[in-house]
C-alpha cells in the first residue's frame, strides 16, 4: 500500500464481507485522497450478537476480498485479541504503530455513524482520527442532512467538525467529520446470510472467491 496520504480505516463484522464494503473502501480512497484503506475485522463486536461465522473465517474472507487490490490491507489484530473489540482501543494502537502525525480516517456507513454516540469512549475518537461518513440505502441519517435524525450529543460533537473540504483530511491528523457520497448499494451481510440460509444465490453481491470460501466451509447454511 502507498504510504502517501491519509490512511483510511474500515472496521466491520464482515459476516461476510461484500461489495458494499469494498466499494465503500474504494470510493473513500479515491474520493478522499487516501493512501489506502485498512480493513479491520472485529473479533468480538460488543454492539451486536455473536456473528454467524467465527473470527477466523471472517478474517479469511476479508483477506480473499482484499487480495490483488494494492489500496487495501488487512489488520488482524482485533481478531487475534480475545477481548471485546473497541474502536478507540484500535485507534490508540494504530497511533502507537503509525505515530501521531499520520492522518487517519475512520470510514463509516450512515447506519454505523448514527450509532456512534453509543460506542465506548466515543468522544475520544475525534482526537485520534477524522471520521468520513458515506450514504447507505435504507439508512437516512447521512451526515449532510443529519439534523433531527441524530442523537443530540452526537450532533453537538460533530457539527463544529463538519467539513466538505476533503483536503482538510491531509492537513491534520484527526478531528474533522467529512460526509461523502458513494454509489448507493443496498447490500448487507444480513441479506446475504438470509439468502444463503434459504438456499438462494448470493452471487454478484460479494466476490466470487468469498462465495467459494463460504461453500467450501459450509458457512451460513
Ligand atoms: P450486517 O447486515 O451483518 O449488520 P453490514 O452489511 O452492515 O452487516 P458491517 O460489517 O456491519 O456490514 O459494516 C461495516 C461498515 O461498512 C459499517 O460502517 C457499515 O455502515 C458499512 N457498510 C456496510 N455495507 C454498506 C453499504 N452497502 N453501503 C455503505 N456502507 C456500508
Amino acid at each position: 500500500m502507498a504510504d502517501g496520504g491519509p490512511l483510511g480505516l474500515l472496521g466491520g463484522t464482515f459476516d461476510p464481507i461484500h461489495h458494499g464494503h469494498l466499494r465503500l473502501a474504494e470510493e473513500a480512497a479515491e474520493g478522499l485522497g487516501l493512501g489506502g484503506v485498512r480493513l479491520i475485522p472485529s473479533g468480538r463486536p460488543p454492539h451486536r450478537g455473536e456473528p454467524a461465522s467465527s473470527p477466523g473465517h471472517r478474517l479469511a474472507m476479508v483477506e480473499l476480498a482484499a487480495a490483488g487490490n494494492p489500496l487495501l490491507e488487512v489488520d488482524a489484530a482485533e481478531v487475534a485479541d480475545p477481548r471485546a473489540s473497541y474502536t478507540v482501543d484500535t485507534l490508540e494502537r494504530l497511533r502507537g504503530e503509525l505515530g501521531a502525525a499520520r492522518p487517519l480516517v475512520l470510514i463509516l456507513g450512515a447506519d454505523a455513524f448514527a450509532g456512534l454516540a453509543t460506542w465506548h469512549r466515543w468522544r475520544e475518537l475525534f482526537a485520534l482520527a477524522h471520521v468520513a461518513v458515506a450514504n447507505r440505502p435504507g439508512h437516512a441519517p447521512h451526515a449532510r442532512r443529519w439534523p433531527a435524525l441524530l442523537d443530540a450529543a452526537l450532533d453537538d460533537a460533530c457539527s463544529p467538525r463538519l467539513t466538505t473540504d476533503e483536503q482538510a483530511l491531509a492537513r491534520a491528523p484527526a478531528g474533522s467529520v467529512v460526509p461523502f457520497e458513494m454509489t448507493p448499494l443496498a447490500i448487507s451481510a444480513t441479506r446475504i446470510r438470509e439468502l444463503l440460509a434459504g438456499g438462494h444465490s448470493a452471487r454478484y453481491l460479494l466476490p466470487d472467491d468469498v462465495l467459494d470460501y463460504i461453500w467450501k466451509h459450509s458457512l451460513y447454511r
Side-chain angles (χ1 to χ4, degrees):
M1 178 189 295
D3 279 341
L7 177 64
L9 308 170
L10 176 55
T13 314
F14 301 124
D15 190 22
I17 190 164
H18 54 67
H19 284 136
H21 298 126
L22 293 164
R23 281 305 297 182
L24 174 60
E26 186 78 7
E27 295 195 29
E30 189 168 17
L32 304 175
L34 308 182
V37 177
R38 203 179 266 214
L39 304 173
I40 313 176
S42 162
R44 281 131 210 96
H47 278 88
R48 51 189 293 158
E50 183 85 0
S53 290
S54 69
H57 280 316
R58 292 183 288 106
L59 172 64
M61 292 188 280
V62 170
E63 281 173 341
L64 285 170
N69 184 341
L71 282 173
L72 301 181
E73 63 181 40
V74 182
D75 187 324
E78 287 191 10
V79 165
D81 190 332
R83 294 166 301 176
S85 308
Y86 293 113
T87 299
V88 68
D89 296 331
T90 294
L91 291 176
E92 285 175 344
R93 171 177 61 79
L94 290 173
R95 278 286 166 221
E97 184 187 317
L98 302 166
R102 178 93 190 255
L104 298 178
V105 182
L106 186 63
I107 302 167
L108 300 174
D111 57 312
F113 175 69
L116 196 71
T118 65
W119 292 17
H120 184 52
R121 292 164 53 203
W122 68 276
R123 291 176 190 279
E124 295 170 49
L125 297 172
F126 304 105
L128 291 160
H130 300 292
V131 176
V133 187
N135 52 299
R136 182 170 185 185
H139 299 279
H142 190 286
R144 262 192 228 287
R145 36 181 192 277
W146 68 34
L149 292 167
L150 279 192
D151 167 300
L154 183 58
D155 193 8
D156 286 349
C158 292
S159 291
R161 305 178 177 283
L162 187 62
T163 175
T164 51
D165 174 14
E166 279 122 23
Q167 305 306 316
L169 300 180
R171 282 197 299 264
S176 291
V177 175
V178 186
F180 72 100
E181 299 287 341
M182 65 172 281
T183 306
L185 292 170
I187 302 174
S188 72
T190 300
R191 179 73 183 133
I192 290 170
R193 292 194 302 273
E194 286 170 358
L195 287 169
L196 294 171
H200 300 292
S201 168
R203 202 168 179 194
Y204 308 129
L205 296 174
L206 69 176
D208 286 346
D209 287 352
V210 175
L211 206 45
D212 288 345
Y213 184 95
I214 288 170
W215 280 326
K216 188 167 159 211
H217 295 274
S218 305
L219 306 181
Y220 309 116
R221 290 282 173 81

